[in-house]
Amino acid sequence: MPKRALITGIAGQDGTYLTEMLLAKGYEVFGVLGPCPGAFADRMGQYEGRLHLIEADLTDMASVLAAVETSAPAEVYNFAAQSSVGQSWSDALTTTDINAVGVLRLLEAIRAAAPHARVFQASSAEMFGNAEESPQCETTPIRPESPYAIAKAYAFHLVAAYRKSYGLHASNGVMFNHESPLRSLDFVTRKITDGVARIKLGLMSELRLGNLDSRRDWGFAGDYVDAIWLMLQQDGPDDYVVASGEVHTVREFCEVAFSHVGLDYREHVVVDPAFFRPLDVNIQQGDASKARRVLGWSPKVGFSELVAMMVDADMERLG
Ligand code: GDP
């Protein structure tokens, strides 16, 4: 009998990479699609028979319970989220209902219908806010500064409490920014690589961005799902930071992306106050030593390779 996994947010970036990985490992995968199926179904056509799509919504308890009952999973991966920090300022209620209370609904459903399932919760480095210590690790104080981060912090603590109180095998992966050609255009990396391709192909002349001095620890999503899977293969549940450990500014991302196609970012990037946030986290840098030590994980794709991969993919898509 193949192992069964339930993935929420399956059509998103991480869901897509994880699905490909689990299907290649011989799993039977059940996925909750969410509102933006996009190109997911086409991409997964080859796996017909071992991939089952379920309609459910983390804001609706009955549908979450039905998804867990139908899939009878050995492993559950929760990627469903309103994933944009920027948007969480304009839609704090929905963000909280999905990213915080949605996780409560899912854990309750698992407790009722699949108490032995191993659970992964996609936690976020945004929970650290503008941290006083750098790099940030599993013991860094949690001080969230946006509706998105506050909801993710609630879910993080809930997972730890359910693990302790009910003995669930539930782990948090505290994920630093991870990008890929599948990243949505709401995020600055993909906005830049899409902009570079459009400018190079003559479809656009300028790219309007916000804070160029903001610094992030950017890794490749394909590497990060390896760490996620490894967490659920351990005897016991735990929390792990997943990060590259390297930081770069948004400006550096622009430099590398534009120069990859022979352009100078200074001639095309316009700083627009409309893209600044009410309260921004200026630097994030993760220390993934625990994941490296305990899980034996290490990322394979470096910063410039990641930027080049994303620019090339956008050039191919648009060209
Ligand atoms: P986040 O770390 O999850 O918020 O990921 P984002 O990719 O959305 O943002 C990373 C950083 O880039 C933040 O500090 C943003 O303020 C900064 N940034 C600068 N310009 C932009 C922009 O035009 N769009 C977005 N999304 N972020 C921008």
Side-chain angles (χ1 to χ4, degrees), residues 85 126 177 186 188 191 209-211 214 216 250 277 280:
V85 177
E126 284 290 326
N177 295 43
D186 296 329
V188 75
K191 182 175 170 184
L209 296 172
N211 184 4
S214 190
R216 287 288 182 277
V250 172
R277 295 182 183 167
D280 201 2

Side-chain angles (χ1 to χ4, degrees), residues 158-170:
L158 195 71
V159 163
Y162 269 54
R163 176 163 80 208
K164 198 167 164 196
S165 304
Y166 297 127
L168 288 191
H169 191 300

Side-chain angles (χ1 to χ4, degrees), residues 187-207:
F187 292 87
V188 75
T189 54
R190 191 62 209 302
K191 182 175 170 184
I192 295 167
T193 62
D194 174 79
V196 164
R198 284 178 196 277
I199 291 169
K200 182 68 183 175
L201 296 167
L203 305 170
M204 196 168 105
S205 62
E206 62 175 32
L207 175 63

Side-chain angles (χ1 to χ4, degrees), residues 213-256:
D213 297 315
S214 190
R215 283 178 286 174
R216 287 288 182 277
D217 180 329
W218 281 297
F220 171 51
D223 284 340
Y224 286 29
V225 298
D226 289 345
I228 289 170
W229 179 77
L230 284 168
M231 285 176 212
L232 299 204
Q233 312 315 309
Q234 307 304 306
D235 290 340
D238 208 338
D239 303 324
Y240 300 90
V241 160
V242 184
S244 78
E246 253 187 63
V247 272
H248 297 275
T249 58
V250 172
R251 188 186 309 281
E252 281 165 346
F253 197 103
C254 290
E255 260 167 28
V256 177

Side-chain angles (χ1 to χ4, degrees), residues 116-132:
H116 301 294
R118 296 184 172 192
V119 184
F120 169 81
Q121 164 62 13
S123 268
S124 165
E126 284 290 326
M127 296 188 310
F128 298 130
N130 277 302
E132 272 164 25

